[in-house]
Amino acid sequence: MSKPIRVVLRKSTETSTLVVYASKGKKSGTPSTAKLGPGIQKLLEVAHKDGAFHGDKKEALFFRHCKADGHENVLFIGLGEKPTAECFRVAAAVTLAALKAHKVTSAGVLGDSIIKQVKDGAHALQALAEGFMLSVYEFNEMKTKRASDAKKAELEEISVLFAGAPSAAYGKAVERATVLAECQNFARRLGDLPSSHLTPTHLAEETIKAAKGTKLKVTVWDEARIKKERFGGLMFVAQGSDEPPRFIIMEYNGAPKSKKPVCFVGKGLTFDSGGISIKPSQSMEEMKYDMCGGATVIGTMLALAKLNAKVNAIAYVPATENMPGGSAAKPGDIYYARNGKTVEVFNTDAEGRLILGDALAYACEQKPAVILDAATLTGAILVSLGNTHTGVFSRDEKLLKKLQAASDTTGELIWPMPLTDFHRDDMKGIHADLCNISSGRLAGSSTAAAFLEEFISDGIPWAHFDIAGTAWNQHGRYLYCPRKGASGVMVRTFVEFAENY
Ligand code: BES
Ligand code: ZN
Ligand code: ZN
């Protein structure tokens, strides 16, 4: 895997390459930043006067051998106007790209130029540290010759420099960033691994391996147990594949036993060919990322344990392939789900909802405080929201507010989507209780959510996250994500939510 980068705090501003963050200056003034030495201040003023640097988002200006105030090189990075935490994540990616372009292998960033820009300095520092660690992620473990092996000199550490002793809160912020980024990168790796190397069995093994040494308890059900537990939807989807399904359970107790757990459910479809309702071949290779909901909840549980969160939490990941083998289920087939409802399957490509239905019904039986599920559930959510916003479905306004608050803190964008009785009525079956596709053709993400709702017991707060668009980064929108690949989306938001529920 890609080499991680360490972020360390130092009580000294000595460094050969100093990185200075600056927000966009008001009309004629220079970009705004911390108090600088006279040499660096002069560089900034001249750069601004020349029109070379304004403090705009994604701006970078490098001075080599400028020897300003004892620093050999100086790098200015723009944050934009009134920078948010997200601006610091982006700025971290821009910093690394500029340092790499100028072949700099050791650098220190001016701590005050981060914390003086915002009300909550520790939060900005956390975001910057997350940005560094998320930016260096690269899925290269299956290349025999890695680009990173070729050049020996690589940036392994970034120091954050303070003239005085850095406050304990800053140290905590960097520690938190390290855990969150590590667990998000772990979720990305699961998403990037091809189905040849990440079958349901492997997914379970990777989970067990990652949980070693933490307080997490991991239990994995095999096919016989899944059948015995009457997970009809999971068995229905799995029957077309030679790979056996798995049901992964993760438990974490960080609060008194009497406290009901926060429950996470994630779609673990390690490859979705569509089954007998087979998908077109264009981009089918991307369907290895159909387990990203599972990866998100696994990453979330790892992070909660590593952060010693004061919460009880459980995660369930139904895992299978969706293949058109000789014993595959056929359109029109009917199965009995875990909650006793019958489902007729008109399209075997709408399989995520079948395996989630069983997992959600089982989750409700445990009487949790709340259930959040994450799934690459519908192509329709890509049409509605693209790759930037995760669609959230819930009828619980109070829960939606809490989710929005968590998302505001982490910078992972969510958007509330409709879920109404209209959508529920569209999912009635003809010869069974339910049909797995809508009788109407539109609002595919909402009708999918309405199908899931059929497996939620009354009185349990629940929200569904359709991450089909956001789990896979493309078009290079997020600079701290790989240009094309799994994003590990919602790990940070789920952790934030659980800690504050
Ligand atoms: N895994 C797909 C959804 C998906 C599509 C994820 C594109 C990521 C990118 C899901 O299982 C699926 O195929 N859904 C169908 C449902 C339809 C048949 C009702 C879809 O969205 O086309
Ligand atoms: Zn599908
Ligand atoms: Zn799918």
Side-chain angles (χ1 to χ4, degrees):
M1 242 229 293
S2 50
K3 271 197 201 139
I5 190 167
R6 282 186 311 276
V7 177
V8 294
L9 304 179
R10 287 201 202 292
K11 184 190 160 203
S12 153
T13 51
E14 237 173 71
T15 179
S16 82
T17 298
L18 183 73
V19 183
V20 176
Y21 294 96
S23 50
K24 191 173 169 62
K26 304 245 166 54
K27 279 241 158 77
S28 57
T30 42
S32 165
T33 183
K35 192 168 178 337
L36 303 171
I40 305 176
Q41 180 65 35
K42 182 91 194 154
L43 285 180
L44 185 61
E45 277 165 22
V46 172
H48 178 60
K49 229 162 98 200
D50 287 354
F53 185 81
H54 306 286
D56 280 319
K57 238 188 222 177
K58 303 186 194 173
E59 228 180 354
L61 185 63
F62 186 73
F63 290 91
R64 182 180 289 284
H65 300 316
C66 61
K67 300 196 186 329
D69 305 325
H71 303 288
E72 191 63 26
N73 311 312
V74 171
L75 172 63
F76 291 113
I77 300 286
L79 295 167
E81 245 174 284
K82 294 197 188 123
T84 60
E86 181 65 9
C87 296
F88 285 91
R89 264 175 227 108
V90 174
V94 176
T95 306
L96 291 183
L99 292 174
K100 191 171 175 191
H102 293 96
K103 306 202 166 36
V104 176
T105 54
S106 143
V109 311
L110 185 62
D112 277 352
S113 73
I114 303 158
I115 58 166
K116 292 267 161 71
Q117 304 277 359
V118 288
K119 266 202 208 120
D120 188 346
H123 188 57
L125 183 58
Q126 183 190 322
L128 187 83
E130 284 170 7
F132 284 132
M133 295 183 247
L134 291 172
S135 297
V136 294
Y137 171 83
E138 199 184 344
F139 180 69
N140 58 10
E141 67 190 78
M142 306 196 76
K143 285 188 178 164
T144 53
K145 236 195 173 113
R146 291 170 200 159
S148 53
D149 292 344
K151 39 175 184 44
K152 287 197 183 70
E154 244 191 300
L155 199 69
E156 289 176 353
E157 188 178 287
I158 285 257
S159 320
V160 185
L161 310 172
F162 294 93
S167 93
Y170 301 159
K172 281 236 165 73
V174 172
E175 267 173 39
R176 186 174 170 81
T178 307
V179 171
L180 290 172
E182 200 182 283
C183 294
Q184 185 170 344
N185 283 342
F186 178 76
R188 287 172 167 184
R189 176 177 170 260
L190 293 179
D192 284 330
L193 277 165
S195 74
S196 50
H197 289 70
L198 196 84
T199 62
T201 309
H202 290 127
L203 181 62
E205 283 167 0
E206 289 285 350
T207 306
I208 293 169
K209 205 165 95 190
K212 278 234 164 77
T214 71
K215 271 175 62 188
L216 286 165
K217 182 178 165 211
V218 181
T219 313
V220 178
W221 291 359
D222 63 5
E223 191 169 4
R225 179 74 190 269
I226 292 166
K227 217 184 248 172
K228 196 167 150 228
E229 297 282 352
R230 293 169 286 104
F231 276 37
L234 182 52
M235 289 308 300
F236 185 94
V237 177
Q239 75 191 55
S241 168
D242 289 342
E243 288 294 337
R246 290 287 182 264
F247 186 62
I248 304 166
I249 302 171
M250 299 173 87
E251 292 166 90
Y252 171 73
N253 289 311
K257 280 244 159 68
S258 57
K259 225 174 153 220
K260 284 184 177 180
V262 171
C263 180
F264 298 104
V265 176
K267 172 175 171 182
L269 226 299
T270 56
F271 190 78
D272 182 10
S273 71
I276 294 297
S277 315
I278 199 160
K279 285 180 181 294
S281 51
Q282 167 113 38
S283 301
M284 202 206 267
E285 72 280 359
E286 289 183 359
M287 280 303 111
K288 66 175 184 175
Y289 88 84
D290 212 15
M291 35 51 66
C292 281
T296 290
V297 311
I298 294 167
T300 299
M301 294 296 285
L302 287 170
L304 287 172
K306 289 179 188 218
L307 290 169
N308 248 319
K310 307 264 172 293
V311 65
N312 293 333
I314 324 180
Y316 298 114
V317 180
T320 178
E321 288 185 338
N322 185 22
M323 295 291 283
S327 49
K330 298 163 286 288
D333 287 357
I334 296 178
Y335 73 88
Y336 288 78
R338 166 81 188 186
N339 67 349
K341 290 189 182 177
T342 54
V343 180
E344 61 189 339
V345 175
F346 280 8
N347 188 321
T348 64
D349 195 13
E351 84 300 332
R353 59 197 78 184
L354 313 187
I355 68 171
L356 287 169
D358 289 338
L360 288 169
Y362 184 75
C364 287
E365 292 166 30
Q366 319 310 314
K367 305 211 177 340
V370 59
I371 301 176
L372 303 187
D373 80 68
T376 46
L377 203 62
T378 65
I381 202 73
L382 274 140
V383 179
S384 330
L385 301 178
N387 296 113
T388 55
H389 292 68
T390 294
V392 182
F393 302 77
S394 180
R395 301 212 205 202
D396 188 323
E397 291 295 331
K398 245 172 79 187
L399 177 56
L400 280 171
K401 268 212 180 102
K402 286 190 175 155
L403 293 168
Q404 190 58 58
S407 142
D408 290 345
T409 303
T410 62
E412 295 184 303
L413 303 174
I414 62 172
W415 201 259
M417 297 289 289
L419 167 55
T420 71
D421 290 355
F422 288 120
H423 305 113
R424 189 190 59 198
D425 293 345
D426 281 353
M427 302 308 287
K428 292 212 165 91
I430 298 171
H431 303 295
D433 303 335
L434 296 169
C435 182
N436 81 325
I437 58 169
S438 164
S439 51
R441 272 197 300 134
L442 304 175
S445 306
S446 291
T447 52
F451 181 91
L452 297 183
E453 194 183 36
E454 295 287 341
F455 300 87
I456 301 294
S457 310
D458 285 346
I460 299 183
W462 162 73
H464 156 61
F465 289 67
D466 195 334
I467 59 169
T470 49
W472 189 250
N473 199 51
Q474 48 191 356
H475 313 307
R477 275 221 177 84
Y478 286 99
L479 297 185
Y480 52 86
C481 278
R483 277 198 70 77
K484 196 173 169 70
S487 66
V489 76
M490 287 301 134
V491 169
R492 301 197 315 264
T493 304
F494 279 12
V495 170
E496 182 71 28
F497 170 84
E499 285 180 322
N500 294 298
Y501 193 74

